[in-house]
Amino acid sequence: MGVEWKEHILDMLEARRYKELKEELENNMYPVDLADLMEGFSQKQLVMVFRLLAKEEAAETFSYMDSDLRELLINGLTDSELEEIMEEMYLDDTVDVLEEMPANVVDRLLMATDEETRQQINQLLQYPEDSAGSVMNVDYIALRKEMTVAESILKIRQVGLNRETIYTCYVTEKRKLIGSVDVKELLTTSESKKIEEIMDTNMLYGRTTDDQEDVAGIIRKYGLIALPIVDHEMCMVGIVTVDDAMLVLQEEATEDISIMAGVNPSEESYFGTTVVEHVKSRLPWLLFLMLSATVTQMIMNSYEAALAVMPQLAGFIPMLTGTGGNCGSQSSTLVIRGLTVGEIEFHDLFKVIWKEIRIAVCISLVLSVVNGIRIVLMGQGDMLMALTIGLTMACTVVIAKVVGCTLPLVAKKVGLDPAVMATPLISTLVDISTISVYFAIVSTVFQL
Amino acid sequence: MGVEWKEHILDMLEARRYKELKEELENNMYPVDLADLMEGFSQKQLVMVFRLLAKEEAAETFSYMDSDLRELLINGLTDSELEEIMEEMYLDDTVDVLEEMPANVVDRLLMATDEETRQQINQLLQYPEDSAGSVMNVDYIALRKEMTVAESILKIRQVGLNRETIYTCYVTEKRKLIGSVDVKELLTTSESKKIEEIMDTNMLYGRTTDDQEDVAGIIRKYGLIALPIVDHEMCMVGIVTVDDAMLVLQEEATEDISIMAGVNPSEESYFGTTVVEHVKSRLPWLLFLMLSATVTQMIMNSYEAALAVMPQLAGFIPMLTGTGGNCGSQSSTLVIRGLTVGEIEFHDLFKVIWKEIRIAVCISLVLSVVNGIRIVLMGQGDMLMALTIGLTMACTVVIAKVVGCTLPLVAKKVGLDPAVMATPLISTLVDISTISVYFAIVSTVFQL
C-alpha cells in the first residue's frame, strides 16, 4: 500500500477509467488508507475521486483526511454534495472536523446540516477540549428495563444501522443511566427474559467533564468496547468507543514523549507542521535550558585558577555530566511512565527514593571502578586521580537518581505535567550539581 | 478505590464476615482491581478471598495478578480448585500465566488441564514471543457461507457463552478464512439471507508470525474489535481482540520510552523489578556511554595547552554540549515517534534532513544572538568571544539536528530498534562533535 497505489489512482483518473476505478476503490481500499494516499492530490483530482465513492465511504474518508486536504476538498464540492457527507458522518467526527476548520468553512459546513444536528453539534462544541464530552458519540442504543430480550433485539434491528456501536446497550429510566447489557448477553439469553433480570447495574461510566485520557484508560484497563458518559445529573448523554479510546491514548503517548524531549506538543503530524511551527515548539525549552547552563558556567569560572594549573581536569567534565544526565533521565523516565500507567503515585515517594538510592549505590560502584581502571590504564591520571573521579562519579550518580525520581513525583503533586521533568531539565540540574561536587572534591584533594 | 478497600477486605476476613464480603466482592469489585488490591496479602488471606469468588471472577482475577502473587496463591490451592480456575480461563491468558511461572508450577498447572486444552496450550507456546500467535485467542465463532442469518444467530446462541468475543464472526471453508460478518450485520439483516450474500470478503487479517505490535497497530488504525489470524496456508487459527491490542500497545510504548532513556525494557512493573534487576537493565548503557565519553576527553586533552592559557574556555562546554544534546534529542524523539506511528519512513530521509536543517538554522540564529548578548552583558567575554561561541553554537545545533534525525531512520533501515538512537546515544555523539568543532574554532580564532 502506498506510492504505487497513489500513482495507479492518478493514472486511472488521467485515462478516465472511472468505472473501473470506482470498483477498485470499493473492493480494495479502506477509507483511512485512501485519506492517506490522497495527500498531495490537486483539488480537481480530490473531487473526482470523491464523486466515485459511495456516500458512506466518502464520509469516512473525509473524516480521516488532514485539515489542509479537507479544506481543499470542501472548497471544490457543491453544497448538496457537502450536505450528503455531513449527513453520513458520525457526530463526534463532525465536531472534530469543525474544530479544525477556519470560520468561513465552518459556516458552510453548518449550513449543510439540519437544525437538530446543528443543535447537537453546538452542544458538543461546548465541552472543554480533551474532555470526555468532546470525544464522545451521541448515538447509542438505549433500552428500558421492562423490555424483553426479544423486544430489545427488535429495537436493535430497527435503529442499529445508524449507530456507531451496538455491542453494549444502555438501560435508562427518565434518561438516567441505570444499567448496561451486552449484545452477547441478549443473544445468549432466553428471549422472554426481562432486561432488568439480566442487566448489569454495577457498570462503569465516565462524566462529560472527565479528561479524555482517564476515560480511555478505563476502557483499556477493563477491556471495554464502549464506556457510557453521563452528565452531572447521571443522565446518559453519549458513549466513548474503544476505537476512539485507542486514538486518544496514542495522541497522549505522543504528547508525553514530545514533552519529555523538550518539545511543546502539537496536534499535527511531523510533516504537517511547518518549519516555523517546529521552531516555535522547540525554541522555548532550548532557550530556557541554555540560559540555565549559565549557572554551571559561573561555578566553573570561579575555579578558573584551578583549571589553569591542572587543565586536564576539564577533560573529565563531559563524561561526568553525561553519566549524571543519563542516570537522572533513566530514573525520571521510569517514574514518569509509572505515573502515566498508574503504577506509581505520590505517596510512593519515599519508597521510590529508597529504591533509587540502592540502585545508585550499586551502579556507582561499578562505574567508578571501571572508570578508575580506564584512567590508570590510559595514563590519564594516577591512583589519586582515579579515586577522586570515582568519588565524584559516585556522588553524581546518587544525586542524579534521587533528583530524577523526585522531581516528576513533586511535579505531579503540585499539578504540573510530570513529563516536563524529563531528560532535558534533569540533565541541566544534574550538570549544576555535578560540576559543584566535582570542583569541591578536586580542589580539596589537590589543594587548588 | 485503593488502600481503604484493601483494609476493609482484611477487616472483614479477620471478623469472619465471609457472607457479607462475598456479596460485596460480587457487587462492587472488578477482577482487575481486586488483583491490584491483593498485592501484599498473605497466602492464607489470598486463598480465603479466592474461595469466596464465583468461578468466573476467580479465573479473571487470577489472570490479572502479578507473577509472585500468583505463585503464592497456586501453592495454597488444592488441585481441584486449580482445575476449576484453569477451566474458566481463556486460553491466551493461560499461556501468559504459564510463560511466567517456574517449571514446577507449570507442571502442576498443566496437570490441572484436560488433554485437549493441553495440546492447544502447547501449540500456542510454540509461537515466538511477541508474535501475533502468542497473543491470539483460539476461541472464535466460525460460520459457513451457506448458513442463513437465522441459523448463524442460532449458532452464536449455542456456542457464544464461551467465546471471548462474538462481535465479529468469521466465514471459513475447509478451515480457510474466506470472509467476515459483523454481529451488527446479522442483527440488522433479513433472517433468510445467506451469509455469502452479506459477508465481507475484503477483510483484514494477520499471520501467526506477525509482530504483535503490527497486529495491534492494524486494529487501532482501522478501528476493529478483533482481527482474524491465519497460518501460512490461510487457515484460520485464532483472533486478536481489541482489549489485548490495547495492552500490547501500552507495553510497547513503555518499552520504547524505556529504551529511549537508555534502560533495557522489562516486562515487569517498576516495583515488581528488584534492585539487582534494575541495575542490570540500566548499567549496560551507562557503561557504554561512559566509555564512549573517553573520546571527548581525548580531544579535550589534546587542547590542554589552550585551556591552560584561557581556562575560561572550559566554562562554555557544559552549555554547548547541553544545548547540542537537547537539540539532537528533540529531533531524534520526533523521528522515532513518527516511525512508531507510521508517519515517517526511510524513504523520507532527505525530506526529514532538509526540514531539520531549516529548523536548525532558525533555532541557531536565535540561540547564538541571545547567548552572545548574555556573554557581553555578564562580562564573560568580549564581542570576539560572543561571535566565536555563536559560531560554535550554530554548527552544534545543525550537526545535532541532522545526526538526531538521521540515526533513527538508518537504525530502522538496518533492522535495529530506532528507539536505541534516542537521547543518551545522540548526546554522547553530539558531545564529541561539539567539542571537536568548539576547539577547532577557538584555537583558530584565538591562535592557541
Side-chain angles (χ1 to χ4, degrees):
Chain A
M1 191 78 55
V3 185
E4 317 83 62
W5 256 102
K6 185 170 183 166
E7 274 164 21
H8 179 67
I9 294 177
L10 289 175
D11 288 347
M12 299 278 274
L13 282 180
E14 186 89 8
R16 302 187 185 220
R17 289 156 67 188
Y18 301 130
K19 210 178 144 210
E20 257 173 276
L21 180 57
K22 184 182 163 76
E23 263 172 37
E24 281 196 29
L25 290 177
E26 251 165 42
N27 295 328
N28 302 319
M29 190 58 77
Y30 293 94
V32 55
D33 292 323
L34 186 58
D36 259 10
L37 280 183
M38 293 197 296
E39 198 69 46
F41 274 31
S42 71
Q43 190 177 54
K44 199 175 151 202
Q45 290 163 337
L46 274 179
V47 172
M48 272 157 63
V49 171
F50 247 73
R51 289 188 178 142
L52 295 178
L53 296 175
K55 265 194 290 184
E56 208 175 315
E57 268 71 55
E60 211 178 329
T61 307
F62 184 74
S63 71
Y64 282 119
M65 288 163 75
D66 85 4
S67 46
D68 295 341
L69 204 62
R70 213 183 266 149
E71 207 181 321
L72 197 65
L73 175 64
I74 292 174
N75 292 330
L77 292 177
T78 67
D79 283 345
S80 68
E81 282 170 330
L82 215 50
E83 223 164 289
E84 277 183 6
I85 291 182
M86 295 299 279
E87 248 166 50
E88 283 295 326
M89 277 214 291
Y90 293 116
L91 219 55
D92 56 339
D93 293 333
T94 310
V95 171
D96 285 347
V97 169
L98 289 175
E99 279 175 333
E100 287 171 12
M101 290 289 125
N104 60 327
V105 181
V106 170
D107 285 347
R108 233 191 115 205
L109 286 172
L110 283 179
M111 297 280 280
T113 56
D114 60 62
E115 182 54 31
E116 195 201 331
T117 317
R118 202 146 56 212
Q119 276 179 4
Q120 288 179 312
I121 290 173
N122 278 327
Q123 211 191 333
L124 285 178
L125 281 170
Q126 280 165 22
Y127 293 112
E129 213 190 332
D130 296 342
S131 69
S134 74
V135 287
M136 74 184 181
N137 202 295
V138 293
D139 287 331
Y140 57 90
I141 296 193
L143 305 175
R144 277 168 297 109
K145 67 179 199 289
E146 309 80 24
M147 291 168 86
T148 62
V149 168
E151 286 166 348
S152 303
I153 293 180
L154 197 67
K155 174 153 188 195
I156 294 174
R157 278 182 179 279
Q158 286 164 350
V159 301
L161 260 181
N162 300 313
R163 302 295 184 239
E164 191 166 356
T165 175
I166 58 162
Y167 300 124
T168 309
C169 304
Y170 300 95
V171 190
T172 55
E173 191 167 47
K174 292 183 189 149
R175 291 193 54 225
K176 287 196 167 46
L177 176 67
I178 58 169
S180 69
V181 183
D182 273 3
V183 165
K184 190 154 132 183
E185 208 73 35
L186 290 179
L187 285 177
T188 53
T189 309
S190 148
E191 295 204 328
S192 58
K193 272 212 175 166
K194 287 266 192 307
I195 289 297
E196 60 188 325
E197 296 174 73
I198 60 168
M199 72 184 183
D200 182 3
T201 53
N202 173 31
M203 73 275 159
L204 293 157
Y205 58 88
R207 296 185 181 276
T208 48
T209 48
D210 285 350
D211 191 318
Q212 60 175 358
E213 193 178 359
D214 295 339
V215 165
I218 292 175
I219 291 176
R220 171 173 61 197
K221 181 172 179 188
Y222 297 95
L224 307 175
I225 304 286
L227 186 72
I229 305 295
V230 299
D231 64 14
H232 55 283
E233 288 172 316
M234 274 298 283
C235 288
M236 171 116 189
V237 289
I239 55 174
V240 172
T241 50
V242 64
D243 51 331
D244 290 328
M246 288 182 104
L247 295 177
V248 165
L249 292 172
Q250 170 171 296
E251 267 173 35
E252 299 282 346
T254 302
E255 213 176 287
D256 275 6
I257 289 173
S258 300
I259 296 174
M260 286 166 77
V263 179
N264 290 329
S266 89
E267 302 257 310
E268 286 292 326
S269 63
Y270 178 83
F271 288 122
T273 309
T274 64
V275 169
V276 175
E277 285 162 354
H278 269 293
V279 171
K280 273 193 203 156
S281 69
R282 300 186 197 183
L283 199 53
W285 270 108
L286 291 175
L287 265 176
F288 170 75
L289 295 168
M290 184 184 77
L291 293 176
S292 309
T294 308
V295 180
T296 323
Q297 189 172 13
M298 283 160 62
I299 299 169
M300 285 179 70
N301 284 346
S302 69
Y303 290 99
E304 243 176 52
L307 278 171
V309 180
M310 290 183 72
Q312 74 269 35
L313 287 179
F316 293 103
I317 290 175
M319 189 200 61
L320 288 169
T321 55
T323 303
N326 291 332
C327 283
S329 70
Q330 285 182 335
S331 305
S332 67
T333 303
L334 291 179
V335 170
I336 291 167
R337 188 63 190 165
L339 284 166
T340 307
V341 300
E343 194 215 339
I344 299 178
E345 282 169 53
F346 183 74
H347 65 74
D348 295 319
L349 180 61
F350 292 105
K351 214 168 135 195
V352 172
I353 291 181
W354 174 228
K355 188 148 201 162
E356 289 297 317
I357 288 179
R358 283 175 294 162
I359 296 169
V361 168
C362 300
I363 285 178
S364 59
L365 270 174
V366 179
L367 293 186
S368 302
V369 170
V370 172
N371 195 42
I373 294 171
R374 179 190 72 80
I375 290 173
V376 175
L377 284 185
M378 289 180 69
Q380 289 182 334
D382 52 12
M383 276 301 285
L384 186 63
M385 182 62 95
L387 281 173
T388 312
I389 300 295
L391 184 61
T392 310
M393 180 77 85
C395 296
T396 299
V397 173
V398 174
I399 295 173
K401 292 256 170 234
V402 172
V403 171
C405 72
T406 306
L407 284 190
L409 285 166
V410 172
K412 176 87 176 185
K413 182 71 180 174
V414 300
L416 286 173
D417 187 341
V420 168
M421 299 298 167
T423 315
L425 190 60
I426 297 284
S427 302
T428 304
L429 291 175
V430 169
D431 275 5
I432 296 174
S433 74
T434 304
I435 299 289
S436 311
V437 170
Y438 180 48
F439 279 103
I441 292 178
V442 290
S443 61
T444 312
V445 171
F446 298 107
Q447 303 188 326
L448 296 167
Chain B
M1 193 76 55
V3 185
E4 318 83 62
W5 257 103
K6 184 169 185 170
E7 275 163 20
H8 178 69
I9 294 177
L10 289 175
D11 288 346
M12 301 276 276
L13 282 180
E14 185 90 8
R16 305 187 181 217
R17 287 157 68 186
Y18 301 129
K19 210 178 144 207
E20 256 171 280
L21 180 57
K22 183 182 165 76
E23 264 171 38
E24 281 195 30
L25 291 176
E26 252 165 42
N27 295 328
N28 302 318
M29 191 59 78
Y30 293 94
V32 55
D33 292 324
L34 186 58
D36 259 10
L37 280 182
M38 292 197 299
E39 198 68 48
F41 274 30
S42 71
Q43 188 175 56
K44 201 176 149 202
Q45 290 164 337
L46 273 179
V47 172
M48 273 158 60
V49 171
F50 247 72
R51 291 189 177 143
L52 296 178
L53 296 175
K55 264 194 290 187
E56 206 174 315
E57 267 73 53
E60 211 179 326
T61 307
F62 184 77
S63 71
Y64 282 120
M65 287 163 76
D66 85 5
S67 47
D68 294 342
L69 203 63
R70 214 184 263 150
E71 205 180 323
L72 197 66
L73 175 65
I74 292 174
N75 292 331
L77 292 178
T78 67
D79 282 346
S80 68
E81 282 171 328
L82 215 50
E83 224 164 288
E84 278 184 5
I85 290 182
M86 295 298 280
E87 249 166 51
E88 283 295 325
M89 277 214 292
Y90 294 116
L91 219 56
D92 57 340
D93 293 334
T94 310
V95 171
D96 285 347
V97 169
L98 290 174
E99 279 175 332
E100 288 172 11
M101 291 288 124
N104 60 327
V105 181
V106 171
D107 285 348
R108 239 196 108 200
L109 286 172
L110 283 179
M111 296 280 279
T113 55
D114 61 61
E115 183 56 30
E116 194 202 331
T117 317
R118 201 148 54 215
Q119 277 178 7
Q120 287 180 311
I121 289 173
N122 278 326
Q123 210 190 333
L124 285 179
L125 282 171
Q126 280 165 22
Y127 293 112
E129 212 188 334
D130 297 340
S131 69
S134 75
V135 287
M136 75 184 180
N137 203 296
V138 293
D139 288 330
Y140 57 90
I141 296 194
L143 305 175
R144 276 168 298 107
K145 67 178 197 290
E146 310 80 22
M147 291 168 85
T148 63
V149 168
E151 285 166 349
S152 302
I153 294 182
L154 197 68
K155 173 152 188 196
I156 293 174
R157 279 183 177 277
Q158 285 163 352
V159 301
L161 260 181
N162 300 313
R163 303 293 185 240
E164 192 167 356
T165 176
I166 58 163
Y167 300 124
T168 309
C169 304
Y170 300 94
V171 190
T172 55
E173 191 166 47
K174 290 180 189 151
R175 290 193 55 225
K176 285 193 169 46
L177 176 66
I178 58 168
S180 68
V181 182
D182 273 4
V183 166
K184 191 153 130 182
E185 209 71 37
L186 289 179
L187 285 177
T188 52
T189 309
S190 148
E191 295 204 327
S192 58
K193 274 211 172 164
K194 286 266 192 309
I195 289 298
E196 58 188 328
E197 297 174 71
I198 59 168
M199 73 184 184
D200 181 4
T201 53
N202 173 30
M203 72 274 158
L204 294 157
Y205 58 87
R207 295 186 181 275
T208 50
T209 48
D210 285 350
D211 192 317
Q212 58 175 358
E213 192 178 359
D214 296 339
V215 165
I218 292 175
I219 292 177
R220 172 174 59 197
K221 182 172 178 188
Y222 297 94
L224 307 174
I225 303 286
L227 186 73
I229 305 294
V230 299
D231 64 13
H232 55 283
E233 287 172 315
M234 271 300 282
C235 288
M236 169 114 189
V237 289
I239 55 174
V240 173
T241 50
V242 65
D243 51 331
D244 290 328
M246 288 184 102
L247 295 177
V248 165
L249 292 172
Q250 169 172 292
E251 266 173 36
E252 299 282 348
T254 301
E255 214 176 286
D256 275 6
I257 290 175
S258 300
I259 296 173
M260 286 166 77
V263 178
N264 290 329
S266 89
E267 303 257 308
E268 286 291 326
S269 62
Y270 178 83
F271 288 122
T273 310
T274 64
V275 168
V276 175
E277 284 161 356
H278 268 294
V279 171
K280 273 191 204 155
S281 69
R282 302 187 197 182
L283 199 53
W285 270 108
L286 291 175
L287 265 177
F288 171 75
L289 295 169
M290 184 184 77
L291 294 175
S292 310
T294 308
V295 180
T296 322
Q297 189 171 13
M298 284 160 61
I299 298 169
M300 285 181 69
N301 285 345
S302 69
Y303 288 100
E304 242 176 54
L307 277 171
V309 180
M310 287 183 74
Q312 72 268 37
L313 286 179
F316 293 104
I317 290 175
M319 189 199 62
L320 288 168
T321 54
T323 302
N326 291 332
C327 283
S329 71
Q330 285 182 336
S331 304
S332 67
T333 303
L334 291 179
V335 171
I336 291 167
R337 187 63 192 168
L339 284 165
T340 307
V341 299
E343 194 214 336
I344 300 177
E345 281 169 53
F346 182 74
H347 65 75
D348 296 318
L349 181 61
F350 292 105
K351 214 169 134 195
V352 171
I353 291 180
W354 173 229
K355 186 147 200 162
E356 289 296 318
I357 288 178
R358 285 176 293 160
I359 296 169
V361 168
C362 299
I363 285 178
S364 59
L365 269 176
V366 179
L367 292 185
S368 302
V369 170
V370 172
N371 195 41
I373 294 173
R374 179 190 73 79
I375 290 173
V376 174
L377 283 185
M378 289 180 68
Q380 289 181 335
D382 52 13
M383 277 300 286
L384 186 61
M385 182 62 94
L387 281 172
T388 313
I389 300 295
L391 184 60
T392 311
M393 180 76 85
C395 296
T396 299
V397 172
V398 174
I399 295 173
K401 292 255 170 234
V402 172
V403 171
C405 72
T406 307
L407 285 189
L409 286 165
V410 173
K412 177 85 177 188
K413 182 71 181 174
V414 301
L416 287 174
D417 186 340
V420 168
M421 300 297 168
T423 314
L425 190 60
I426 297 283
S427 301
T428 304
L429 291 174
V430 168
D431 275 4
I432 296 173
S433 74
T434 304
I435 299 289
S436 310
V437 169
Y438 179 48
F439 280 103
I441 291 177
V442 291
S443 60
T444 312
V445 172
F446 298 107
Q447 305 190 323
L448 295 168

